[in-house]
């Protein structure tokens, strides 16, 4: 069989621990035999980030802007223990945070659905994608504890020194607590555009919920921005694509999501996205079956698995013990990136390959061959638990039947 050729390179961001091991296996078994893989390689493994003073992370984000599509392996976000373990020069920032701030993007997380791993919510038949606005609100807050009787005010001083004041609360004996939060119009606009673009890309409805009846300025601002951008820039394209944008109160959205069949993109404010994405991923089965894509408002895509580097499995692997680590979300990061590359460069064979690899991965599981995390939650009666490499080899066998 002739290998598929590529035109533009993919930005390849390698990572850490067990997912780095899976990364190599996936390339070896599922990609290199079939594709003349063209990537611009960045080693985001913690050692190399430390060696380059984290410049490699910044370079990889700029390369993503240049080429338009990246695929990323999970990476360690250092904490004190990691500083010691890797003898780091400093506690480098989260690579995902660095990349996100350069690309100014929104993260969309989608569960991978297979028969036999049933969602807890029976009527969910299609995946629900969560888009979280990862800027501001309580994640960039200022808080105070108020002791005893006191007056708390919101004060805004403009460039000319003019003050606007609003009373928050007159505290009585016993005091209380107070919190200041903010968001920025440009960030909300970017979030809205990323969501509208991704809905068009996926041909799925976009739902957005906030609490504008209670928060008449703050949450209302989100609602207004979404509506204005939709009306001006996206309404016609949504109508052509046969999809819709739907706004409602966040509690109404939650109720409707529970009763829905799934298949929509759900845009969430920062806190809602934090909480709801954990609910969605656990309700659909497993963190190891969640994909994640960062989409910039200008239409740049970075694909990855939603889970981390699976550290506990890596330490077993280092001791020479067998692991049964689920590679599905990492495989789907690759297929997402390859499909997008194929779409942008108009390479139908590459798009077809990406689809076939996804189908083969799902079929392999549906035929009962899976890693241990799935054996533990499946409703299938007869299953075979495979180790990390054997699962990938089983996917290859299924794939070869198609090719
Ligand atoms: P994690 O790597 O997602 O793993 C947490 C646990 O979930 C694992 O111990 C494992 O459970 C299970 N799990 C996750 N992915 C799995 C898979 N593919 N197959 C089988 N089981 C899987 O999270 P963590 O242990 O909290 O974090 C480890 C490192 O990852 C940290 O250094 C963190 O900074 C980093 N991280 C990176 C990203 C990213 O790059 N996007 C995201 C999150 C975390 P059992 O051990 O019970 O089998
Ligand atoms: Mg969370």
């Amino acid at each position: 069989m002739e290998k598929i050729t590529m035109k533009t390179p993919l930005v390849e961001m390698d990572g850490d621990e067990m997912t780095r091991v899976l990364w190599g296996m996936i390339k070896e078994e599922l990609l290199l035999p079939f594709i003349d893989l063209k990537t611009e390689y960045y080693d985001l493994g913690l050692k190399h980030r430390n060696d380059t003073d984290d410049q490699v992370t910044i370079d990889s984000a700029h390369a993503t802007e240049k080429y338009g599509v990246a695929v990323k392996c999970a990476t360690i976000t250092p904490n004190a223990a990691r500083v010691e373990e890797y003898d780091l020069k400093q506690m480098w920032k989260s690579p995902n945070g660095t990349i996100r701030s350069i690309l100014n993007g929104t993260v969309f997380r989608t569960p991978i659905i297979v028969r036999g791993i049933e969602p807890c919510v029976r009527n969910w038949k299609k995946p629900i994608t969560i888009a979280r606005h990862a800027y501001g609100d309580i994640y960039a807050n200022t808080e105070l504890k108020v002791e005893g009787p006191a007056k708390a005010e919101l004060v805004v001083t403009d460039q000319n020194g003019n003050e606007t004041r609003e009373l928050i609360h007159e505290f009585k004996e016993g005091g209380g607590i107070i919190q200041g939060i903010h968001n920025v119009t440009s960030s909300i606009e970017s979030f809205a555009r990323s969501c509208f673009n991704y809905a068009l890309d996926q041909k799925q409805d976009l739902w957005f919920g906030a609490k504008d009846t209670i928060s008449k300025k703050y949450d209302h601002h989100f609602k207004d921005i979404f509506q204005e951008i939709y009306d001006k820039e996206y309404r016609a394209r949504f109508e052509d694509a046969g999809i819709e944008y739907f706004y409602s109160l966040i509690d109404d959205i939650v109720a409707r999501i529970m009763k829905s069949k799934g298949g929509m993109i759900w845009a969430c404010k920062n806190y809602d996205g934090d909480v709801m994405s954990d609910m969605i991923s656990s309700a659909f089965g497993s963190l190891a079956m969640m994909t994640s894509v960062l989409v910039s408002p200008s239409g740049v895509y970075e694909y990855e698995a939603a889970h981390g580097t699976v550290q506990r499995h890596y330490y077993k692997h280092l001791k020479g013990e067998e692991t049964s680590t689920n590679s599905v979300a990492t495989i789907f990061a690759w297929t997402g990136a390859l499909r997008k590359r194929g779409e942008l460069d108009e390479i139908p064979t590459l798009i077809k390959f990406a689809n076939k690899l996804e189908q083969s991965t799902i079929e392999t599981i549906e035929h009962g061959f899976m890693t241990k995390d799935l054996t533990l939650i499946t409703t299938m009666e007869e299953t075979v638990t495979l180790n990390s490499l054997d699962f990938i080899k089983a996917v290859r066998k299924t794939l070869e039947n198609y090719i």
Side-chain angles (χ1 to χ4, degrees):
M1 190 204 103
E2 221 172 282
K3 284 192 192 181
I4 299 163
T5 49
M6 294 174 65
K7 294 175 188 162
T8 322
L10 263 184
V11 177
E12 176 184 353
M13 304 169 176
D14 208 344
D16 287 301
E17 300 195 311
M18 200 59 212
T19 42
R20 188 180 179 103
V21 177
L22 298 179
W23 196 260
M25 292 175 180
I26 291 168
K27 283 177 71 177
E28 197 61 40
E29 295 288 332
L30 300 176
L31 304 176
L32 294 173
F34 308 101
I35 307 172
D36 201 356
L37 197 64
K38 217 173 167 182
T39 71
E40 193 164 293
Y41 180 84
Y42 292 86
D43 183 0
L44 266 52
L46 186 50
K47 183 180 179 317
H48 195 242
R49 274 183 275 149
N50 190 55
D51 289 345
T52 61
D53 293 340
D54 209 22
Q55 186 60 37
V56 64
T57 307
I58 295 164
D59 291 346
S60 73
H62 289 306
T64 306
E65 282 181 315
K66 177 174 166 195
Y67 293 115
V69 189
V71 56
K72 180 180 170 290
C73 180
T75 46
I76 292 168
T77 298
N79 53 18
R82 299 296 199 166
V83 172
E84 199 167 313
E85 183 183 355
Y86 284 81
D87 192 17
L88 300 180
K89 296 179 204 165
Q90 54 169 280
M91 204 185 285
W92 304 108
K93 283 193 230 160
S94 147
N96 285 37
T98 302
I99 295 165
R100 197 164 56 219
S101 71
I102 292 172
L103 298 180
N104 186 22
T106 297
V107 173
F108 296 83
R109 281 173 135 211
T110 309
I112 298 155
I113 298 198
V114 296
R115 246 178 296 131
I117 316 289
E118 303 301 329
C120 303
V121 181
R122 265 176 296 136
N123 43 283
W124 287 354
K125 300 294 177 207
K126 294 183 203 159
I128 295 168
T129 297
I130 294 257
R132 173 180 171 189
H133 181 216
Y135 179 83
D137 302 350
I138 61 162
Y139 301 86
N141 65 1
T142 309
E143 302 185 326
L144 283 174
K145 231 176 170 166
V146 181
E147 308 289 352
K151 181 162 85 170
E153 290 177 300
L154 210 53
V155 182
V156 176
T157 313
D158 74 13
Q159 282 173 321
N160 305 320
N162 303 318
E163 285 184 356
T164 313
R165 279 172 187 272
E166 288 281 345
L167 177 69
I168 297 171
H169 193 69
E170 294 257 13
F171 287 93
K172 307 256 157 43
E173 208 61 54
I177 42 180
I178 174 173
Q179 178 182 59
I181 60 171
H182 80 281
N183 222 297
V184 214
T185 300
S186 62
S187 171
I188 304 169
E189 288 171 347
S190 294
F191 175 52
R193 288 198 177 91
S194 294
C195 290
F196 289 128
N197 286 340
Y198 196 65
L200 283 170
D201 190 75
Q202 297 294 300
K203 296 201 174 44
Q204 285 183 330
D205 293 342
L206 176 69
W207 291 17
F208 178 45
K211 198 73 183 175
D212 62 286
T213 47
I214 299 295
S215 171
K216 291 188 167 61
K217 296 217 167 89
Y218 199 103
D219 276 27
H220 215 291
H221 195 51
F222 279 81
K223 178 185 176 183
D224 290 343
I225 287 173
F226 266 73
Q227 195 62 48
E228 260 171 50
I229 291 181
Y230 177 67
D231 289 338
K232 266 194 212 137
E233 301 171 29
Y234 291 94
R235 184 184 285 278
R237 278 188 275 166
F238 266 53
E239 285 170 2
D240 284 348
I243 56 172
E244 70 171 13
Y245 166 59
F246 172 62
Y247 175 85
S248 191
L249 283 174
I250 180 71
D251 31 359
D252 178 51
I253 292 278
V254 168
R256 284 172 189 257
I257 288 278
M258 295 308 288
K259 290 188 183 157
S260 78
K261 290 194 165 59
M264 72 288 288
I265 295 163
W266 179 9
C268 291
K269 289 181 59 209
N270 209 349
Y271 176 81
D272 299 336
D274 182 353
V275 177
M276 292 304 168
S277 64
D278 285 317
M279 184 194 75
I280 295 282
S281 67
S282 54
F284 270 104
S286 162
L287 188 59
M289 297 290 279
M290 286 290 275
T291 56
S292 166
V293 54
L294 175 73
V295 183
S296 82
S298 62
V300 162
Y301 292 74
E302 183 237 291
Y303 295 83
E304 66 172 328
H307 60 77
T309 60
V310 212
Q311 181 182 16
R312 209 179 57 81
H313 294 211
Y314 182 59
Y315 289 163
K316 273 177 77 180
H317 171 81
L318 285 183
K319 280 195 258 164
E321 290 171 36
E322 197 171 76
T323 67
S324 181
T325 315
N326 189 332
S327 50
V328 172
T330 307
I331 295 172
F332 273 63
W334 274 100
T335 53
L338 290 168
R339 186 187 303 108
K340 180 53 75 183
R341 194 69 277 166
E343 285 168 12
L344 295 175
D345 294 350
E346 297 179 11
I347 312 173
T349 48
L350 193 58
I351 300 173
K352 212 168 134 193
F353 175 81
N355 293 338
K356 291 262 181 281
L357 178 49
E358 287 185 356
Q359 207 178 323
S360 305
T361 307
I362 290 172
E363 258 176 44
T364 304
I365 299 169
E366 290 182 345
H367 288 150
F369 299 91
M370 58 191 81
T371 44
K372 192 173 161 199
D373 56 309
L374 297 184
T375 322
L376 294 174
I377 57 170
T378 183
T379 52
M380 273 184 258
E381 303 210 328
E382 294 196 10
T383 58
V384 182
T385 305
L386 299 175
N387 68 34
S388 306
L389 180 59
D390 285 348
F391 175 73
I392 290 170
K393 284 189 164 163
V395 172
R396 176 165 177 179
K397 220 170 124 198
T398 317
L399 178 65
E400 278 169 344
N401 292 334
Y402 278 117
I403 287 181

